[in-house]
Amino acid sequence: MEHSLQELMRNARAEENTFLYMLHEEARFDQLLFWRYVNSIMELTRLTADQPLNREAAGAVSFTYSKIMEYLQWHHSDSDVYEIEHFPYVNAHHIVSLLGEVVNGFYQGIVPDESHFDEHFPNPAFAGIVANEQPAILQLGYYKQETNVHALGFREEDGTYQIMLNEEDDRDLVDSKLSRREVEGTYLFHAPDASSAHQLFHEWVMSTYAPYRSALNRS
């Protein structure tokens, strides 16, 4: 229990090599450190379920959870420039739901079982879990800074994704002279996996759309 409590408290202090440190200091989602944080809470829950609530641990759970939600809110805010690198967009809903369930479980003395974890975002603490094949088609979107851009990702035989722009409203991002037929299926880039595809698409939109919008403002 001491190790799990230490991990939780280190996150509360945002010490180096913790999930909260990565979010705060480097604006980066570290999946290994995320699971280390989550598993520390679940382990504390399992070991203290029949004991009076530890106020120090409870305070750390509440504080770290609220900070993580705060960073995620900044990440998705149109009015904030904070952007989390390597954020697994394809698992965003599951991450938020999982965190809420783990935190609520801590206060209720209930540990989520293995069936509550997404097979595409496996908890390394559960031995033998292997992520299933990634989806054949990805739907990618960017909705920040008054932008609404969409693309599709098609999985190749080697597991990588070919990202294609396919909406008429987005044609100016590539070439304002292109017709709708020419724009549909315009190749953008290759991504090594599903999570990277979301991150790379966001980076592509930010680098491509900003110059285009600036040009519009000058005209």
Side-chain angles (χ1 to χ4, degrees):
M1 184 177 79
E2 187 63 27
H3 175 75
S4 297
L5 181 59
Q6 287 180 358
E7 181 65 25
L8 174 62
M9 300 310 297
R10 291 184 67 245
N11 270 279
R13 295 188 292 268
E15 293 184 4
E16 193 170 352
N17 199 33
T18 63
F19 182 61
L20 268 294
Y21 173 88
M22 289 298 179
L23 287 181
H24 179 70
E25 296 294 337
E26 300 188 15
R28 179 161 63 90
F29 189 99
D30 188 300
Q31 188 166 320
L32 179 62
L33 293 178
F34 168 79
W35 282 117
R36 189 181 297 174
Y37 162 74
V38 168
N39 288 329
S40 71
I41 297 177
M42 292 200 299
E43 180 67 5
L44 284 173
T45 304
R46 185 180 67 82
L47 295 174
T48 63
D50 59 349
Q51 301 175 15
L53 196 63
N54 182 312
R55 291 184 180 274
E56 180 183 29
V61 169
S62 177
F63 175 76
T64 53
Y65 174 71
S66 65
K67 293 301 292 184
I68 292 172
M69 291 299 104
E70 184 178 313
Y71 289 126
L72 294 183
Q73 182 179 15
W74 290 347
H75 175 70
H76 288 94
S77 173
D78 288 341
S79 59
D80 201 294
V81 297
Y82 179 80
E83 188 89 14
I84 301 175
E85 295 182 1
H86 307 306
F87 183 76
Y89 293 94
V90 69
N91 300 114
H93 176 75
H94 173 66
I95 289 171
V96 172
S97 177
L98 171 66
L99 285 171
E101 188 172 356
V102 169
V103 170
N104 288 335
F106 172 79
Y107 290 104
Q108 297 174 12
I110 301 173
V111 181
D113 60 38
E114 183 177 326
S115 64
H116 290 234
F117 294 90
D118 193 302
E119 59 189 10
H120 297 295
F121 193 66
N123 186 341
F126 294 132
I129 288 185
V130 178
N132 285 356
E133 190 178 55
Q134 298 188 93
I137 299 177
L138 296 175
Q139 292 186 342
L140 308 175
Y142 186 94
Y143 311 103
K144 296 184 68 172
Q145 301 174 348
E146 301 179 357
T147 313
N148 193 353
V149 187
H150 304 272
L152 293 176
F154 299 94
R155 194 184 68 234
E156 305 282 276
E157 291 184 358
D158 61 359
T160 62
Y161 283 87
Q162 188 178 69
I163 310 304
M164 313 289 288
L165 195 69
N166 74 331
E167 291 198 2
E168 182 182 17
D169 292 340
D170 301 332
R171 66 179 182 272
D172 295 312
L173 294 173
V174 179
D175 187 340
S176 60
K177 298 179 181 179
L178 293 178
S179 67
R180 175 169 183 169
R181 177 173 295 181
E182 291 171 318
V183 169
E184 290 181 337
T186 299
Y187 170 78
L188 298 182
F189 55 83
H190 255 80
D193 52 46
S195 292
S196 297
H198 287 268
Q199 179 68 29
L200 292 172
F201 179 66
H202 276 223
E203 293 174 356
W204 178 85
V205 173
M206 292 178 69
S207 64
T208 306
Y209 181 81
Y212 169 69
R213 186 171 62 177
S214 297
L216 278 182
N217 292 336
R218 290 196 299 270
S219 61

